Each structure stands twice: as C-alpha cells, then as structure tokens.
Amino acid sequence: MAAAVSQRRLVGLRRGLGALWIGNGLFHFVAWLWSPAAGARLLAAFGQAAVAPAWLRPALQAVHDGVARAGPRPVAAVLVLLELALGTALLAGWRVRGAIALGLGYSLLCWVVLDALGYPYGRGQTDPGVFINYALAFAFAWRAQAVLAGAAPGPDPFRRERLLFGLLWALDAALKWQPGFLTQFMAQLTPAAVGQPAPIAAYIHAVVALVGWIGPLRVAVLTALAETLVAASLLSGRAMRWSVPLAALYCLAVWTSAEGFGGPYGLAGTGVRGDVIGNVLIYVYLFAYLWPVAARPQSGAAPGSGGGG
C-alpha cells in the first residue's frame, strides 16, 4: 500500500490545510479587527438568523446578541487567534491530533452559526456552505494522521471519509436537479463577474457567452448529471480511476467561472464567512487524498471494499 498512502503526501496535505487556515486567520484579522467598520462586519457574519430554517433562528439570534454584548472585537480576536494557532499547529506538526479535533469541531460549529447549514436552499441555491467542506477536510486529516501513526491503511484507507464526501456530492446533485437550478442556471453564473478584476471578468463573460450558445438548460442538465455520476462513484467506490481526476477538473472549472476564483476578495466578500478561496476548491483538496487509491491498478477485489476509517 506504499503507493496508496505515501507518508510524504499525507504530511504535505496536512501542511496545506494548515497554510489555508493561516490564510483564513490573516484575512479575518484584516476584515474583523484591523479595517474600518470591522465590528459591524463581524456582527454581519453572525447575522444569519434571517436565512436559517425556522427551528434554528432563535439559537442563531441568541448567538448574534451574545456576540454584540461581549463586544465584536474581543470575539474577533479569539476567533483569529484560534485560526492562526490551528493553522500553525498543522503546518508545523505540533499536537496534530488535538489541532485536527479542534478544527473539526470549530468547522461544524461555524457551519451552523456562520453558514446556517448552507441555507437558504431554493431559487437555484445549491451551496451547502464552505464550513462543511472544511469539516470533511479535517475528517480526512484525522484518518491520515492515524495512518502516519502506524494504523493499517487497508486497500481503501479513506473509505468512511469517501462515503461522507459522496453524500455531500449527492446532496449537491439532488439540489441541482431542482427546477430552481435548472431554470435559473444563467442567473447563478453571471453575478460571478461583478467586482472582479478586468481579466477575470472578461473570462467569466466569455464563459457566460459560451453557455448561452450551448443553451443554459442543456448545461444545467449536464452539470446535474455530472455531479450525480461523481456522487455514485464516490459512494460505490467504482470507476474512481476516471471520476476522481475528472471531478477535480470539473471543480476547477466551477471555481474559475461560477465562483470567480473565490473572489472578489473585498472585505465584505466571501472571506468574511470563512470562504477565502472559494467553496469547490476545497473539493479538489479532498480529491487529493483519494487520487492515489483511485489511480492504482485494480485487483480482483471490488474497489469499494476493504478497511479504513
């Protein structure tokens, strides 16, 4: 299994996650502490009660009010220090298991409080929120750390994490089969050019023109079908030799077009809620864990069988 679980690769992926969280912490330092109107910007990040499901609104409103009473700047300082410490620990290899557990819990908490579970779903909205992707990244990192510590990897070392990833893709796909996405595909794509530098805006406008030429409904159906096939491959463990690299390329295409390279990187933009680099780019990071297993020659055993987790 040496080819499937290269220790150098796993350490590199852990360090990459640490560098990303240092980037998040620095961005939040600028947005929430250093810049004018930082306090108002932090309170806006916690103001998700209006878009949350009804049963969650009272809790989110209580959290918002608690942050306001405690003071936005002290709360921001705690969050920034936590993110910088988390990233540094992963990057340097200090108390890694504890850092991963902290990152997983923090990501799930932020998914509820700052992402409102990805709501609202409707009117073409199919984004489950960036923090659930970070939580998955920490789940992969937890398993990778166990392998680095000597746990037997098995033929499918990230089986449980792959299944969770597949469920996330299945949710994405199910939402994309809804009329709100299929009939409003262009409305999801064209706003990505707003506020972007001229070269990126020109590129996105070219993509919009290409979609218009092909037909927005055709492209929307192809998008939903592609995500359905990726979900099926991840959940079954089959055809991953093809699905993993093609899905990673698909994510890069979405990131550069509909997500506008994760930008625009203004203080009131995506980074305020944790999404500094864009949502689907985290998917590419997760596929990096699966690529060695997907790329190896298949034996007689079913690709989805075996240990792991």
Side-chain angles (χ1 to χ4, degrees), residues 119-169:
Y119 276 74
Y121 292 116
R123 301 183 303 277
Q125 166 67 16
T126 64
D127 183 355
V130 68
F131 280 108
I132 193 63
N133 299 343
Y134 282 129
L136 266 177
F138 282 113
F140 273 92
W142 179 271
R143 175 58 184 160
Q145 195 62 26
V147 172
L148 289 171
D156 190 0
F158 296 101
R159 180 175 180 273
R160 293 179 184 174
E161 294 75 20
R162 168 174 59 77
L163 292 174
L164 291 173
F165 196 22
L167 288 174
L168 184 58
W169 274 88

Side-chain angles (χ1 to χ4, degrees), residues 173-234:
L175 292 170
K176 284 182 171 59
W177 284 113
Q178 301 303 308
F181 177 81
L182 296 175
T183 61
Q184 299 184 39
F185 182 79
M186 198 67 85
Q188 300 295 312
L189 184 59
T190 51
V194 177
Q196 297 281 9
I200 295 179
Y203 165 75
I204 295 173
H205 287 312
V207 172
V208 170
L210 177 62
V211 170
W213 179 73
I214 297 172
L217 181 58
R218 290 191 185 93
V219 176
V221 170
L222 288 173
T223 298
L225 179 60
E227 296 201 4
T228 301
L229 292 174
V230 172
S233 178
L234 289 172

Side-chain angles (χ1 to χ4, degrees), residues 69-100:
R69 286 193 297 271
R73 286 188 178 275
V75 172
V78 170
L79 295 179
V80 168
L81 287 174
L82 185 152
E83 293 176 1
L84 291 176
L86 174 61
T88 301
L90 293 174
L91 194 61
W94 299 334
R95 300 186 177 276
V96 173
R97 298 283 280 190
I100 293 172

Side-chain angles (χ1 to χ4, degrees), residues 290-303:
L290 298 175
W291 169 245
V293 173
R296 73 170 185 249
Q298 297 297 314
S299 64

